[in-house]
Every structure is written in structure tokens, then in C-alpha cells.
Amino acid sequence: MTRRLAEVAKKVGVSEATVSRVLNGKPGVSEPTRQAVLSALDVLGYERPTQLRGERARLVGLVLPELQNPIFPAFAEVIGGALAQLGLTPVLCTQTRGGVSEADYVTLLLQQQVSGVVFAGGLYAQADAPHDHYRQLAERNIPVVLVNAAIEDLGFPAVSCDDAVAVEQAWRHLSSLGHERIGLVLGPADHVPSARKLAAVRAVGHVPDSYVGRAMFSIEGGHAAAARLIDRGVTGFICASDPLALGVVRAARRKGLDVPSRISVVGYDDSALMNCTEPPLTTVRQPIEAMGKAVVELLNAQISGSSVAAEELLFEPELVVRGSTAQAPRL
């Protein structure tokens, strides 16, 4: 018991006597301090006293599909910082291949009586993936916010970058440079943001099926998809992520083609270091700061008991032109 008091007190920055008053339900402790002590108990893995177990922890699950794509740590930084300002403690849950699944993380978070969950990229965006764990959260009335487009009928609010505007910006940029053979490197066919991007491009220009490549979201996936499209004559590429775009650059170079004099590439996200690649990557920037703050506002409103509509807030992206796009080659 003494060790527990000392560890919690050190974590929160208060005296052991203050921790003891919280654990024993005694007065004389401010509400923010009381909540901080309870959150520290959860984080350190200690059970709450019986009389306090009915309360939800001041923990918020932040579930990410990976950390290799810099866009996800960027979202985590913004969202985590905004949560901390509200006295909420983010719990980072990152999926690994062959490791803990998204559904497993949901089970663990429910056991910790979390106040809410934020999903930034996950199975909610794939129509053919399992979604039972989302329904479990809804049945328990756990506040949830999704980052970027989801399948229909999940019933959660979402904060998204406007996929249609993003690819329209990329398409018009490549078209203005004289590219007529414009291809897309997208995620799987059941990936909702990718489907939106394809529909938006086809609303403004002609893209045959043979100019659409599907890939897992990685440099290797982009490389494989782009190699096929380059052989079909594509000179301008619109990609669904920056790692996919870097894969296109690699594929072009492996074929002895220069970027951007022979192949132009537009990414998506403007994640960290894209201005340091060779060449610096032209990409469509997601407004991470604004989106992250909106996510936390929606989540906190739900935690506070306010009703939040299960709607999607769309944020405007911005085309950032760098060195990976140029005039179309004369063939």
C-alpha cells in the first residue's frame, strides 16, 4: 500500500496524504487533483478502490494502425496534447502484424473503463473488415470519434480531410502541366477514402481502370503498383498517401526514369520530411492541427454528456507543390 501511495503521488506531483484522501473518499481534494490521482492509478496498473470502480477513468484510447507512416504520429501528437490540456490521459494503441488487433485493444480499453476512444486510420474505413468491436463501443455508450472517412451506419462522428477536393487539386495540377496519362495509386478496393478519391477524379477527368493501381499503404506497395502503371504509359501519378508516392518514385528510378522530367508524382498527407526527400515531394496537405483539435472537442463534448451528431466534419486540404512534379514529357 505504501509503495502504491508513493508511486501515484510521484506520478501526479502531490503528497502521499493527498493520494490517501482520494483513495479513501475523504474531502479536501480538488476535483482536477482527484481525477489526476484516479488516472494515475489506471496508468500504473493499480485497481481502484471498490467504491471508485463505477467511475470511468480519465483515459482516452488513441488507436492507430501503425507508426511507420509519419502522418499517424503527427495526429497522435496533436490529439494527445489537446487531451492532456483537458486533464485526459491518452493511451496509445498501435497495431502490429501478428500482434494485438484493433478488437483486442478495444477489449483492453473497456476493461480500463476509458472515457472515450479515438480511431485514426483503422478497420472502420474498410467495408469488408470486421466491425463488431465498434458496435460494442456503441452499445456501451463509449464516446468515439473517427479520423477520416468511415463506412456508413457506424453511428460515430468523424473528422475528415475532404478526399474529393484533395484529388481534384492534384488532378488539376498535373493536367496544367500537360499530363494526359494520369494514374492513381490507391488503397484496397473496400477502402472508403480511396473509393472517394477515385470517384472524385472520375468526376473531373477520364481515368481507365488500367490506370488505377491498388496497394497496401507502404513504399513497397506503391512501388509494385506503379511499376505496372508505368509500363502502361502513365506519366503522372496521384497517390493516396506519401509512402505510396515514395514507392512510385522508387519504381520510376528502378526503370531508369527521372522524377520529375519523365514521371510526376503527387502524394497525400504532407507528412514529416516530405520536403527533404529527393526530389522534395509535391503532396496534398491534411490540416492535422485543425483536425486534431476538432477531434478532441467532439470527444470531450460527448464525455461531458452533450449530444453530438454522428456526422462527418470535412476539412479543406492544401496542395503543396515541390520538386516531384514538372511538365509532361514529350513522347
Side-chain angles (χ1 to χ4, degrees):
M1 180 67 176
T2 303
R3 179 184 174 186
R4 178 175 66 167
L5 288 174
E7 288 189 16
V8 174
K10 182 179 179 181
K11 180 79 173 176
V12 181
V14 297
S15 68
E16 293 183 26
T18 297
V19 175
S20 179
R21 283 197 292 272
V22 172
L23 298 183
N24 290 296
K26 294 183 178 180
V29 181
S30 69
E31 182 60 21
T33 299
R34 193 177 80 89
Q35 292 295 345
V37 169
L38 294 177
S39 293
L41 280 174
D42 299 323
V43 170
L44 293 170
Y46 291 121
E47 287 190 5
R48 295 185 179 204
T50 304
Q51 70 272 20
L52 300 177
R53 288 178 189 170
E55 298 186 24
R56 279 186 183 165
R58 297 284 289 177
L59 302 176
V60 171
L62 180 51
V63 185
L64 307 176
E66 57 164 314
L67 292 178
Q68 291 183 330
N69 184 342
I71 194 66
F72 294 117
F75 270 121
E77 181 178 8
V78 172
I79 293 171
L83 288 171
Q85 290 179 352
L86 296 172
L88 295 163
T89 302
V91 179
L92 186 61
C93 304
T94 306
Q95 301 167 58
T96 56
R97 291 180 181 176
V100 182
S101 69
E102 195 174 85
D104 292 333
Y105 274 127
V106 167
T107 299
L108 292 171
L109 292 170
L110 287 173
Q111 290 173 353
Q112 291 296 318
Q113 296 180 308
V114 292
S115 293
V117 184
V118 174
F119 292 91
L123 299 180
Y124 62 85
Q126 294 178 244
D128 296 337
H131 300 117
D132 289 343
H133 53 292
Y134 298 116
R135 297 184 181 94
Q136 189 178 13
L137 289 167
E139 289 168 0
R140 297 201 186 187
N141 294 317
I142 303 296
V144 172
V145 180
L146 309 176
V147 178
N148 284 320
I151 64 168
E152 294 182 0
D153 302 326
L154 281 182
F156 299 133
V159 174
S160 302
C161 186
D162 195 322
D163 292 297
V165 173
V167 294
E168 286 170 10
Q169 291 177 347
W171 176 273
R172 296 188 192 285
H173 173 60
L174 290 175
S175 295
S176 71
L177 294 172
H179 290 274
E180 297 179 351
R181 302 176 185 177
I182 300 174
L184 283 79
V185 179
L186 305 172
D190 69 331
H191 185 245
V192 176
S194 293
R196 286 184 173 184
K197 288 180 172 68
L198 179 58
V201 163
R202 285 186 164 159
V204 296
H206 174 66
V207 181
D209 289 341
S210 59
Y211 284 8
V212 178
R214 300 285 184 177
M216 301 304 294
F217 284 93
S218 65
I219 292 176
E220 294 77 15
H223 180 175
R228 295 190 294 271
L229 299 189
I230 290 172
D231 290 341
R232 294 167 187 166
V234 171
T235 63
F237 284 84
I238 298 173
C239 303
S241 75
D242 288 340
L244 286 175
L246 295 179
V248 175
V249 174
R250 179 197 285 180
R253 287 180 171 163
R254 293 282 174 86
K255 291 180 175 292
L257 301 175
D258 180 70
V259 176
S261 63
R262 291 292 301 279
I263 300 292
S264 286
V265 185
V266 181
Y268 179 78
D269 286 338
D270 194 28
S271 45
L273 306 180
M274 291 305 106
N275 61 336
C276 300
T277 59
E278 181 52 44
L281 187 67
T282 295
T283 187
V284 180
R285 176 182 295 161
Q286 291 200 63
I288 298 171
E289 190 80 22
M291 290 174 64
K293 289 181 178 178
V295 166
V296 175
E297 288 176 6
L298 286 172
L299 190 76
N300 189 49
Q302 294 177 74
I303 292 172
S304 301
S306 301
S307 177
V308 174
E311 297 176 342
E312 182 180 25
L313 300 182
L314 290 178
F315 283 73
E316 190 90 356
E318 176 189 359
L319 179 69
V320 181
V321 179
R322 299 194 180 103
S324 66
T325 51
Q327 290 290 328
R330 296 181 179 179
L331 303 176

